[in-house]
Amino acid sequence: DHIFEKVNPEMEKLGYECKCLGGGKIDHNSKDKKIRVFGLSTGYGKADHSVTAEILKKVYTDYEITWSDDKK
């Protein structure tokens, strides 16, 4: 479940230096075209979900994308 640990070694091989700024969860409902960003990482704390939501909106233009600081 810790994506950063899986992705970081490959990014470093490409010459990138990465730092995890926080975490959370993403609930993706493809049927209803909805994405919800929420929660936090027990190891990294909470990410800025508003930033994540804005990035997702650029790719999922026909989705309703919401975020909150709720844990569940």
Side-chain angles (χ1 to χ4, degrees):
D1 290 327
H2 294 278
I3 295 170
F4 183 73
E5 281 87 6
K6 294 176 185 175
V7 173
N8 190 46
E10 295 302 317
M11 296 298 288
E12 287 179 343
K13 287 180 189 175
L14 296 172
Y16 294 100
E17 183 178 329
C18 300
K19 180 179 178 183
C20 184
L21 301 176
K25 296 180 173 80
I26 297 176
D27 180 30
H28 179 199
N29 182 330
S30 58
K31 180 183 174 198
D32 294 334
K33 293 192 172 190
K34 292 183 179 182
I35 296 176
R36 183 173 68 107
V37 182
F38 64 102
L40 55 92
S41 165
T42 55
Y44 296 108
K46 188 187 79 63
D48 185 342
H49 299 325
S50 66
V51 172
T52 306
E54 289 305 312
I55 292 168
L56 290 168
K57 286 177 184 179
K58 292 176 183 177
V59 177
Y60 295 91
T61 56
D62 57 340
Y63 272 64
E64 176 186 335
I65 300 175
T66 58
W67 67 271
S68 74
D69 289 331
D70 296 341
K71 295 181 181 176
K72 295 183 179 185

